[in-house]
Amino acid sequence: MFQNLGEMLLLLAATLRAIPRAWRDRRKVADQLFDIGNASLFMACMLSLFIGGVLALQTGPVLVQRGLGSSLGGLVALGMCKELAPVMMAVLIAGRIGSAMAAELGSMRVYQEIDALRTLNIDPVNYLVMPRVLAIAIALPCLVVFANLVGWTGGALVASFNDRISVTWSAFFGNLRSVVEFSDLLNGLIKSFFFAVVIGVVSCHQGLTTLGGPRGIGRSVTKAVVNSLVLILLLDYVLTRLLLPLDNGWRF
Amino acid sequence: MNAPASKPSATGLPVAIRDLRKSFGEQPVLKGVSFDIRAGEVFVLMGPSGSGKSVFLRHLIGLETPDGGEIRIGGELATSEDIGSKFHLAIVFQSGGLLNSLTVAENVGLYLTEHRLKPREEIDRVVTEKLALVKLDPGVGAQFPNELSGGMRKRVAIARALVGDPQLVLFDEPTSELDPLVALTIGREILNLNERTGATCVVVTHDRDLAFGIADRIGFLNAGELVVLGTPAEIRASPHPLLQQFLAADFHPQ
Ligand SMILES: Nc1ncnc2c1ncn2[C@@H]1O[C@H](COP(=O)(O)OP(=O)(O)OP(=O)(O)O)[C@@H](O)[C@H]1O
Ligand SMILES: [Mg+2]
């Protein structure tokens, strides 16, 4: 997968150069945003609710046993906003949106639509890639904020209703508020922004370089998702390491 | 019909092809093709299926990079990045090449909208006009390409190519999916475009009537080599055996 890294970086550079056109192409970006929201909001909601719940379920009883039940809220919230929300939302978007983009651009490539654009002197990067990458880069951080809120609620619900935990709603959120800092939220948002760029560029690159017929499209979709996931998890470690200094940051 | 003397002062582009070579893997498709297409002429390229005609057109419009040799359009290399901003070239793909996510009207107007060449109402007007030119009624504009028949898609593709007055227009089998009457209209329209704007037209076709009806000159491509080149009269008189078979092929040979 890494032999294409150079090409992907070039595509990223071309996309960045196309960003000044974003305003005139705002309709295209908005259409993409609408599609992304439509395809992912419900899934994001379910996913985050359960992730928050499981997080509380896994850690709650252990903490309560040791008399640390009062710190459950902060633990769940930090786990959610610094790691699980950005990574899980990125996985969701890679599977749901990245794959669709690779398939769409792949079929455009196979059925000569990309060639047709070029002959009309329309740059496929301006016309197709930039609006998509930009839309994901806007949508994913928003989804992460949303996932945090839902996930925290899921955690609080489990914490208050599970009788091996029984941490009240107000105790959960009280602890959450004293522990979670703005920098923790920011940490997750920054990560998700980079994940979004990876998903957009990898998926569009796979789509645009599709070879062969319908079978080639299938291959591109698989590669887009797998390569995005691998890069996201690698990048997750690197970004987490680089963002460590943020932890001594501002409180709200 | 093809008296060169009556041609307007051409704004069309001349094309010079020199020793053009292209292989896909081991298989040579173009084996050193050299000839000139004159500014403002209607050049028809004929040849058996698989002889490399579509690949040749893709080279002209800069979608393929030659393995050897070069193509110059109006003096510029066809492969150069900014040829699209210097000249307006257009192609009608064999399969149409319409954008399936856009309506017919959006497809036809795409060149004007994306390059912001005209205001909205003006674009709508041009789109309706071009659709009428290829005998499609304006209602078709709101439909999507996959709701049309193959022949209708082809006509939309032709309409799209004619928008913005291109200086070099390439047609890949423009009449292959059309009934004889529409085919006739398309043939007339190519001539009309050529006379009105002086655009150079390169037409790839198997349709002998179309070829002899519109061509100023005809080239015959066989297995990646240009074997005969000349005016329609010269082509008819050519002794080349395959070409003669090609022209004589008939269900009811007498
Ligand atoms: N992208 C490609 N990869 C590999 N081979 C190709 C490619 N494009 C064309 N070819 C090969 O090049 C040869 C010429 O193809 P081309 O499409 O130019 O034929 P053609 O003369 O247009 O035929 P037709 O009249 O049937 O349209 C064919 O043998 C084809 O298999
Ligand atoms: Mg062909």
Side-chain angles (χ1 to χ4, degrees):
Chain A
M1 70 172 275
F2 292 105
Q3 69 268 36
N4 294 330
L5 215 56
E7 276 172 45
M8 289 189 225
L9 288 174
L10 286 179
L11 182 61
L12 175 62
T15 309
L16 292 177
R17 275 199 303 278
I19 289 286
R21 296 169 53 101
W23 180 247
R24 66 164 274 195
D25 283 343
R26 57 192 180 279
R27 273 291 307 278
K28 283 189 210 124
V29 180
D31 287 347
Q32 291 295 327
L33 273 173
F34 185 78
D35 285 350
I36 296 175
N38 225 355
S40 63
L41 264 180
F42 179 71
M43 293 268 285
C45 189
M46 297 304 290
L47 216 63
S48 328
L49 196 67
F50 281 97
I51 292 171
V54 168
L55 211 52
L57 204 57
Q58 294 265 23
T59 52
V62 185
L63 289 176
V64 171
Q65 247 175 27
R66 289 164 176 67
L68 296 169
S70 61
S71 49
L72 180 61
L75 190 101
V76 169
L78 280 186
M80 202 67 206
C81 72
K82 287 175 79 171
E83 182 63 25
L84 285 167
V87 171
M88 293 310 291
M89 289 305 108
V91 170
L92 173 69
I93 291 295
R96 198 80 217 239
I97 306 298
S99 59
M101 284 180 181
E104 189 187 6
L105 298 201
S107 81
M108 291 184 76
R109 170 75 212 251
V110 168
Y111 297 109
Q112 288 192 322
E113 294 184 32
I114 306 272
D115 287 345
L117 282 178
R118 288 221 213 109
T119 63
L120 293 169
N121 200 24
I122 297 170
D123 185 345
V125 175
N126 292 344
Y127 188 77
L128 298 168
V129 179
M130 186 277 289
R132 283 171 174 73
V133 173
L134 188 62
I136 299 190
I138 295 171
L140 193 52
C142 296
L143 268 184
V144 168
V145 172
F146 175 73
N148 283 334
L149 299 175
V150 177
W152 295 347
T153 312
L157 282 174
V158 169
S160 55
F161 286 116
N162 186 293
D163 45 3
R164 292 183 56 198
I165 308 177
S166 297
V167 172
T168 63
W169 186 271
S170 63
F172 185 94
F173 277 103
N175 180 242
L176 184 154
R177 208 170 297 144
S178 70
V179 169
V180 177
E181 295 167 13
F182 181 68
S183 62
D184 297 322
L185 287 176
L186 193 64
N187 194 316
L189 292 181
I190 294 174
K191 289 209 282 192
S192 70
F193 174 79
F194 284 97
F195 295 163
V197 173
V198 166
I199 297 170
V201 171
V202 170
S203 306
C204 290
H205 173 262
Q206 282 301 340
L208 288 180
T209 54
T210 300
L211 286 180
R215 192 189 279 223
I217 301 175
R219 223 174 5 238
S220 285
V221 171
T222 315
K223 272 177 148 182
V225 174
V226 172
N227 291 1
S228 298
L229 292 185
V230 172
L231 279 177
I232 285 169
L233 295 177
L234 287 181
L235 203 61
D236 185 37
Y237 181 84
V238 176
L239 285 172
T240 306
R241 180 67 193 81
L242 290 178
L243 289 172
L244 272 184
L246 250 187
D247 285 347
N248 325 324
W250 328 290
R251 301 182 162 271
F252 7 79
Chain B
M1 200 172 187
N2 330 302
S6 73
K7 286 282 155 75
S9 59
T11 61
L13 298 166
V15 185
I17 300 112
R18 291 292 170 269
D19 195 32
L20 182 66
R21 292 169 187 280
K22 181 74 178 181
S23 309
F24 289 106
E26 291 292 285
Q27 181 203 12
V29 175
L30 297 174
K31 305 171 186 167
V33 176
S34 303
F35 64 102
D36 288 293
I37 298 171
R38 298 171 189 150
E41 78 174 332
V42 177
F43 188 92
V44 171
L45 191 63
M46 298 176 83
S49 190
S51 56
K53 304 183 297 295
S54 297
V55 170
F56 173 74
L57 281 193
R58 289 175 60 82
H59 279 87
L60 286 194
I61 199 98
L63 289 172
E64 302 278 355
T65 324
D67 293 342
E70 61 173 36
I71 298 177
R72 285 185 180 275
I73 297 175
E76 298 283 327
L77 276 179
T79 42
S80 82
E81 282 285 314
D82 59 344
I83 188 153
S85 51
K86 287 215 177 88
F87 305 126
H88 183 188
L89 319 177
I91 183 169
V92 180
F93 286 104
Q94 195 162 358
S95 58
L98 299 176
L99 273 69
N100 284 305
S101 56
L102 301 184
T103 65
V104 165
E106 285 166 344
N107 260 292
V108 175
L110 189 61
Y111 182 79
L112 299 179
T113 33
E114 270 304 302
H115 298 292
R116 306 230 158 153
L117 295 176
K118 291 195 161 88
R120 191 69 262 165
E121 317 78 64
E122 183 73 359
I123 293 178
D124 291 343
R125 197 186 56 69
V126 172
V127 167
T128 318
E129 177 195 307
K130 299 297 176 196
L131 285 178
L133 218 59
V134 292
K135 304 276 183 280
L136 290 172
D137 64 66
V140 174
Q143 287 181 289
F144 285 89
N146 58 12
E147 298 167 343
L148 307 180
S149 76
M152 287 164 90
R153 276 201 288 272
K154 197 59 155 278
R155 280 183 275 161
V156 175
I158 294 173
R160 182 174 71 182
L162 300 186
V163 162
D165 296 324
Q167 297 156 285
L168 171 65
V169 199
L170 315 176
F171 298 88
D172 200 349
E173 315 267 9
T175 58
S176 61
E177 289 171 277
L178 306 180
D179 67 64
L181 288 182
V182 180
L184 188 67
T185 323
I186 295 302
R188 288 219 184 98
E189 203 41 56
I190 294 173
L191 279 183
N192 192 351
L193 166 84
N194 175 255
E195 266 152 33
R196 195 166 35 92
T197 67
T200 310
C201 299
V202 181
V203 184
V204 163
T205 186
H206 295 299
D207 181 341
R208 288 164 294 183
D209 292 339
L210 177 73
F212 285 96
I214 66 175
D216 291 317
R217 291 190 308 152
I218 298 176
F220 189 75
L221 195 67
N222 183 38
E225 289 174 276
L226 190 81
V227 289
V228 190
L229 173 69
T231 62
E234 287 166 352
I235 291 292
R236 276 210 182 85
S238 158
H240 194 277
L242 185 67
L243 175 58
Q244 282 315 320
Q245 276 177 11
F246 203 81
L247 296 183
D250 194 332
F251 267 122
H252 307 287
Q254 245 76 58

